[in-house]
């Protein structure tokens, strides 16, 4: 079963992990990670939160979606949201060559971004985690 995985990296001591699934893996939907085909769900809730509440982030739908097309993006589970859905974090390079941090859930087989911003370089050092993962490849 694990032969379908491109890369699995777990570090149980630090709690960090990276899961990279093949583009068309049938495992992706079963794990609640990225759907086989990258379709996005945009509704008034996530549009309002990402774009209207945070115009200073200067994001577009295309910019947010482009992070999911980065084959080097880091995906990891985060927490259950208010709708009892598992949320995930994606840290990846956007089409504008900026490392972005996107919180998303998978709803009805589609990726539903819930929050997006530029990855930070201080507290959690999200950008460093992204660049460190590239060195391991």
């Amino acid at each position: 079963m694990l032969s379908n995985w491109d890369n699995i990296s777990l570090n149980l001591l630090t709690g960090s992990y990276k899961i990279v699934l093949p583009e068309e893996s049938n495992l992706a939907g079963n794990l609640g990670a990225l759907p086989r085909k990258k379709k996005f769900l945009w509704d008034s809730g996530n549009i309002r939160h990402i774009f209207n509440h945070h115009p200073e982030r200067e994001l577009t739908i295309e910019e947010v979606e482009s992070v999911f097309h980065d084959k080097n993006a880091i995906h990891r589970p985060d927490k259950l949201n208010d709708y009892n859905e598992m949320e995930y974090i994606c840290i990846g390079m956007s089409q504008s060559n900026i490392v972005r941090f996107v919180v998303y859930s998978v709803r009805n087989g589609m990726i539903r971004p819930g929050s997006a911003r530029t990855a930070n370089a201080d507290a959690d050092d999200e950008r460093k985690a992204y660049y460190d993962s590239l060195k391991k490849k």
Side-chain angles (χ1 to χ4, degrees):
M1 182 166 166
L2 292 180
S3 62
N4 288 338
W5 293 79
D6 285 337
N7 180 6
I8 299 177
S9 173
L10 299 171
N11 186 331
L12 299 176
L13 295 176
T14 63
S16 64
Y17 40 89
K18 177 181 179 183
I19 301 172
V20 180
L21 296 171
E23 185 73 26
E24 294 299 318
S25 170
N26 62 0
L27 294 174
N30 294 337
L31 294 174
L34 289 176
R36 293 164 92 175
K37 298 198 185 222
K38 295 179 180 122
K39 293 183 182 177
F40 295 85
L41 176 62
W42 292 100
D43 55 44
S44 61
N46 59 355
I47 289 172
R48 183 176 50 249
H49 180 75
I50 294 173
F51 306 109
N52 298 349
H53 289 177
H54 299 286
E56 74 280 2
R57 295 180 181 171
E58 299 178 346
L59 294 167
T60 64
I61 286 175
E62 293 80 14
E63 178 75 359
V64 173
E65 290 181 359
S66 72
V67 176
F68 293 88
H69 297 291
D70 175 6
K71 299 220 182 278
N72 297 306
I74 298 169
H75 296 268
R76 62 181 167 91
D78 188 28
K79 60 180 174 39
L80 289 177
N81 64 19
D82 294 340
Y83 300 98
N84 209 28
E85 298 169 317
M86 188 65 202
E87 286 188 337
Y88 301 88
I89 292 171
C90 176
I91 303 172
M93 188 69 67
S94 70
Q95 65 186 9
S96 60
N97 292 320
I98 297 172
V99 180
R100 301 285 189 183
F101 179 97
V102 181
V103 176
Y104 68 97
S105 59
V106 177
R107 187 179 292 175
N108 299 322
M110 294 185 284
I111 299 166
R112 183 183 182 278
S115 179
R117 60 176 170 76
T118 299
N120 70 36
D122 36 303
D124 295 328
D125 213 351
E126 296 153 353
R127 279 186 273 185
K128 182 178 182 315
Y130 176 78
Y131 288 116
D132 285 350
S133 75
L134 294 177
K135 293 176 190 173
K136 295 177 185 176
K137 293 187 175 201

